[in-house]
mmCIF file of all heavy atoms in Angstrom:
data_model
loop_
_atom_site.group_PDB
_atom_site.id
_atom_site.type_symbol
_atom_site.label_atom_id
_atom_site.label_comp_id
_atom_site.label_asym_id
_atom_site.label_seq_id
_atom_site.Cartn_x
_atom_site.Cartn_y
_atom_site.Cartn_z
ATOM 1 N N PRO T 226 -185.033 87.893 -39.679
ATOM 2 C CA PRO T 226 -186.378 88.465 -39.568
ATOM 3 C C PRO T 226 -187.429 87.745 -40.406
ATOM 4 O O PRO T 226 -188.613 87.785 -40.081
ATOM 5 C CB PRO T 226 -186.184 89.911 -40.057
ATOM 6 C CG PRO T 226 -184.990 89.854 -40.947
ATOM 7 C CD PRO T 226 -184.085 88.811 -40.347
ATOM 8 N N GLY T 227 -187.024 87.090 -41.485
ATOM 9 C CA GLY T 227 -187.998 86.501 -42.404
ATOM 10 C C GLY T 227 -188.567 87.576 -43.315
ATOM 11 O O GLY T 227 -188.537 88.766 -42.994
ATOM 12 N N LYS T 228 -189.081 87.186 -44.440
ATOM 13 C CA LYS T 228 -189.536 88.141 -45.468
ATOM 14 C C LYS T 228 -190.658 89.049 -44.968
ATOM 15 O O LYS T 228 -190.682 90.252 -45.245
ATOM 16 C CB LYS T 228 -189.987 87.393 -46.727
ATOM 17 C CG LYS T 228 -188.852 86.779 -47.529
ATOM 18 C CD LYS T 228 -187.923 87.873 -48.057
ATOM 19 C CE LYS T 228 -186.772 87.282 -48.854
ATOM 20 N NZ LYS T 228 -185.811 88.334 -49.317
ATOM 21 N N LYS T 229 -191.591 88.485 -44.222
ATOM 22 C CA LYS T 229 -192.737 89.268 -43.771
ATOM 23 C C LYS T 229 -192.299 90.382 -42.826
ATOM 24 O O LYS T 229 -192.686 91.551 -42.997
ATOM 25 C CB LYS T 229 -193.749 88.352 -43.076
ATOM 26 C CG LYS T 229 -195.049 89.040 -42.700
ATOM 27 C CD LYS T 229 -196.033 88.037 -42.123
ATOM 28 C CE LYS T 229 -197.345 88.709 -41.738
ATOM 29 N NZ LYS T 229 -198.329 87.721 -41.172
ATOM 30 N N ILE T 230 -191.484 90.047 -41.829
ATOM 31 C CA ILE T 230 -191.006 91.065 -40.888
ATOM 32 C C ILE T 230 -190.023 92.008 -41.566
ATOM 33 O O ILE T 230 -190.041 93.222 -41.297
ATOM 34 C CB ILE T 230 -190.366 90.386 -39.655
ATOM 35 C CG1 ILE T 230 -191.443 89.689 -38.829
ATOM 36 C CG2 ILE T 230 -189.617 91.408 -38.803
ATOM 37 C CD1 ILE T 230 -190.934 88.984 -37.591
ATOM 38 N N GLU T 231 -189.193 91.481 -42.452
ATOM 39 C CA GLU T 231 -188.255 92.340 -43.178
ATOM 40 C C GLU T 231 -189.005 93.424 -43.946
ATOM 41 O O GLU T 231 -188.609 94.603 -43.941
ATOM 42 C CB GLU T 231 -187.411 91.502 -44.144
ATOM 43 C CG GLU T 231 -186.390 92.333 -44.922
ATOM 44 C CD GLU T 231 -185.701 91.535 -46.014
ATOM 45 O OE1 GLU T 231 -186.408 90.767 -46.711
ATOM 46 O OE2 GLU T 231 -184.479 91.689 -46.195
ATOM 47 N N ASN T 232 -190.091 93.052 -44.597
ATOM 48 C CA ASN T 232 -190.891 94.031 -45.346
ATOM 49 C C ASN T 232 -191.516 95.075 -44.420
ATOM 50 O O ASN T 232 -191.599 96.256 -44.767
ATOM 51 C CB ASN T 232 -191.986 93.314 -46.146
ATOM 52 C CG ASN T 232 -191.424 92.530 -47.318
ATOM 53 O OD1 ASN T 232 -190.331 92.844 -47.819
ATOM 54 N ND2 ASN T 232 -192.139 91.516 -47.763
ATOM 55 N N LYS T 233 -191.940 94.646 -43.235
ATOM 56 C CA LYS T 233 -192.512 95.593 -42.262
ATOM 57 C C LYS T 233 -191.450 96.577 -41.783
ATOM 58 O O LYS T 233 -191.724 97.772 -41.618
ATOM 59 C CB LYS T 233 -193.096 94.835 -41.076
ATOM 60 C CG LYS T 233 -194.386 94.074 -41.388
ATOM 61 C CD LYS T 233 -194.905 93.385 -40.137
ATOM 62 C CE LYS T 233 -196.207 92.643 -40.424
ATOM 63 N NZ LYS T 233 -196.726 91.957 -39.200
ATOM 64 N N ILE T 234 -190.239 96.073 -41.560
ATOM 65 C CA ILE T 234 -189.145 96.948 -41.126
ATOM 66 C C ILE T 234 -188.805 97.956 -42.215
ATOM 67 O O ILE T 234 -188.626 99.151 -41.949
ATOM 68 C CB ILE T 234 -187.898 96.110 -40.750
ATOM 69 C CG1 ILE T 234 -188.178 95.290 -39.493
ATOM 70 C CG2 ILE T 234 -186.679 97.018 -40.534
ATOM 71 C CD1 ILE T 234 -187.081 94.303 -39.140
ATOM 72 N N CYS T 235 -188.738 97.486 -43.446
ATOM 73 C CA CYS T 235 -188.434 98.377 -44.576
ATOM 74 C C CYS T 235 -189.518 99.439 -44.736
ATOM 75 O O CYS T 235 -189.218 100.610 -45.018
ATOM 76 C CB CYS T 235 -188.285 97.565 -45.863
ATOM 77 S SG CYS T 235 -186.810 96.533 -45.908
ATOM 78 N N LEU T 236 -190.764 99.034 -44.564
ATOM 79 C CA LEU T 236 -191.876 99.980 -44.665
ATOM 80 C C LEU T 236 -191.762 101.049 -43.580
ATOM 81 O O LEU T 236 -191.950 102.244 -43.848
ATOM 82 C CB LEU T 236 -193.208 99.228 -44.527
ATOM 83 C CG LEU T 236 -194.486 100.069 -44.658
ATOM 84 C CD1 LEU T 236 -194.588 100.652 -46.066
ATOM 85 C CD2 LEU T 236 -195.722 99.215 -44.361
ATOM 86 N N TYR T 237 -191.441 100.623 -42.361
ATOM 87 C CA TYR T 237 -191.278 101.570 -41.256
ATOM 88 C C TYR T 237 -190.126 102.531 -41.531
ATOM 89 O O TYR T 237 -190.252 103.751 -41.323
ATOM 90 C CB TYR T 237 -191.021 100.816 -39.957
ATOM 91 C CG TYR T 237 -190.687 101.740 -38.798
ATOM 92 C CD1 TYR T 237 -191.687 102.387 -38.086
ATOM 93 C CD2 TYR T 237 -189.355 101.996 -38.448
ATOM 94 C CE1 TYR T 237 -191.385 103.252 -37.038
ATOM 95 C CE2 TYR T 237 -189.045 102.860 -37.407
ATOM 96 C CZ TYR T 237 -190.054 103.483 -36.714
ATOM 97 O OH TYR T 237 -189.746 104.351 -35.695
ATOM 98 N N LEU T 238 -188.998 102.004 -41.990
ATOM 99 C CA LEU T 238 -187.829 102.847 -42.269
ATOM 100 C C LEU T 238 -188.110 103.845 -43.384
ATOM 101 O O LEU T 238 -187.780 105.034 -43.265
ATOM 102 C CB LEU T 238 -186.627 101.972 -42.626
ATOM 103 C CG LEU T 238 -186.005 101.167 -41.474
ATOM 104 C CD1 LEU T 238 -184.959 100.201 -42.004
ATOM 105 C CD2 LEU T 238 -185.392 102.098 -40.439
ATOM 106 N N ASN T 239 -188.693 103.395 -44.443
ATOM 107 C CA ASN T 239 -188.994 104.297 -45.568
ATOM 108 C C ASN T 239 -189.921 105.430 -45.155
ATOM 109 O O ASN T 239 -189.812 106.557 -45.637
ATOM 110 C CB ASN T 239 -189.625 103.503 -46.719
ATOM 111 C CG ASN T 239 -188.598 102.754 -47.544
ATOM 112 O OD1 ASN T 239 -187.506 103.273 -47.816
ATOM 113 N ND2 ASN T 239 -188.919 101.535 -47.937
ATOM 114 N N LYS T 240 -190.814 105.131 -44.224
ATOM 115 C CA LYS T 240 -191.799 106.120 -43.792
ATOM 116 C C LYS T 240 -191.255 107.056 -42.704
ATOM 117 O O LYS T 240 -191.628 108.241 -42.650
ATOM 118 C CB LYS T 240 -193.044 105.401 -43.275
ATOM 119 C CG LYS T 240 -194.186 106.324 -42.899
ATOM 120 C CD LYS T 240 -195.404 105.523 -42.455
ATOM 121 C CE LYS T 240 -196.560 106.439 -42.074
ATOM 122 N NZ LYS T 240 -197.752 105.662 -41.620
ATOM 123 N N ASN T 241 -190.335 106.556 -41.873
ATOM 124 C CA ASN T 241 -189.972 107.312 -40.658
ATOM 125 C C ASN T 241 -188.516 107.730 -40.522
ATOM 126 O O ASN T 241 -188.210 108.603 -39.701
ATOM 127 C CB ASN T 241 -190.345 106.478 -39.423
ATOM 128 C CG ASN T 241 -191.830 106.239 -39.298
ATOM 129 O OD1 ASN T 241 -192.588 107.126 -38.917
ATOM 130 N ND2 ASN T 241 -192.251 105.035 -39.632
ATOM 131 N N ILE T 242 -187.616 107.149 -41.271
ATOM 132 C CA ILE T 242 -186.191 107.355 -41.007
ATOM 133 C C ILE T 242 -185.769 108.822 -41.116
ATOM 134 O O ILE T 242 -184.878 109.282 -40.394
ATOM 135 C CB ILE T 242 -185.329 106.449 -41.925
ATOM 136 C CG1 ILE T 242 -183.911 106.332 -41.348
ATOM 137 C CG2 ILE T 242 -185.312 106.959 -43.351
ATOM 138 C CD1 ILE T 242 -183.089 105.235 -41.996
ATOM 139 N N LYS T 243 -186.404 109.568 -41.976
ATOM 140 C CA LYS T 243 -186.060 110.986 -42.153
ATOM 141 C C LYS T 243 -186.441 111.844 -40.947
ATOM 142 O O LYS T 243 -185.977 112.977 -40.810
ATOM 143 C CB LYS T 243 -186.735 111.537 -43.416
ATOM 144 C CG LYS T 243 -186.160 111.021 -44.736
ATOM 145 C CD LYS T 243 -184.749 111.536 -44.958
ATOM 146 C CE LYS T 243 -184.216 111.119 -46.318
ATOM 147 N NZ LYS T 243 -182.824 111.587 -46.537
ATOM 148 N N LYS T 244 -187.264 111.294 -40.070
ATOM 149 C CA LYS T 244 -187.673 112.044 -38.878
ATOM 150 C C LYS T 244 -186.574 112.082 -37.822
ATOM 151 O O LYS T 244 -186.630 112.886 -36.896
ATOM 152 C CB LYS T 244 -188.927 111.409 -38.270
ATOM 153 C CG LYS T 244 -190.146 111.413 -39.187
ATOM 154 C CD LYS T 244 -191.307 110.684 -38.533
ATOM 155 C CE LYS T 244 -192.508 110.604 -39.454
ATOM 156 N NZ LYS T 244 -193.627 109.838 -38.838
ATOM 157 N N PHE T 245 -185.583 111.212 -37.969
ATOM 158 C CA PHE T 245 -184.532 111.096 -36.970
ATOM 159 C C PHE T 245 -183.290 111.884 -37.380
ATOM 160 O O PHE T 245 -182.902 111.893 -38.549
ATOM 161 C CB PHE T 245 -184.165 109.630 -36.751
ATOM 162 C CG PHE T 245 -185.301 108.797 -36.208
ATOM 163 C CD1 PHE T 245 -186.098 108.053 -37.054
ATOM 164 C CD2 PHE T 245 -185.581 108.796 -34.848
ATOM 165 C CE1 PHE T 245 -187.150 107.297 -36.565
ATOM 166 C CE2 PHE T 245 -186.621 108.044 -34.343
ATOM 167 C CZ PHE T 245 -187.419 107.292 -35.192
ATOM 168 N N ASP T 246 -182.663 112.526 -36.388
ATOM 169 C CA ASP T 246 -181.433 113.271 -36.654
ATOM 170 C C ASP T 246 -180.265 112.342 -36.938
ATOM 171 O O ASP T 246 -179.319 112.710 -37.642
ATOM 172 C CB ASP T 246 -181.087 114.165 -35.459
ATOM 173 C CG ASP T 246 -182.163 115.204 -35.201
ATOM 174 O OD1 ASP T 246 -182.477 115.961 -36.124
ATOM 175 O OD2 ASP T 246 -182.690 115.244 -34.069
#
Side-chain angles (χ1 to χ4, degrees):
K228 288 297 180 183
K229 186 175 180 180
I230 291 180
E231 181 188 42
N232 289 336
K233 288 182 179 180
I234 292 173
C235 290
L236 182 64
Y237 173 82
L238 289 172
N239 280 320
K240 185 178 180 181
N241 296 284
I242 198 167
K243 289 292 185 181
K244 298 176 183 178
F245 297 96
D246 298 304

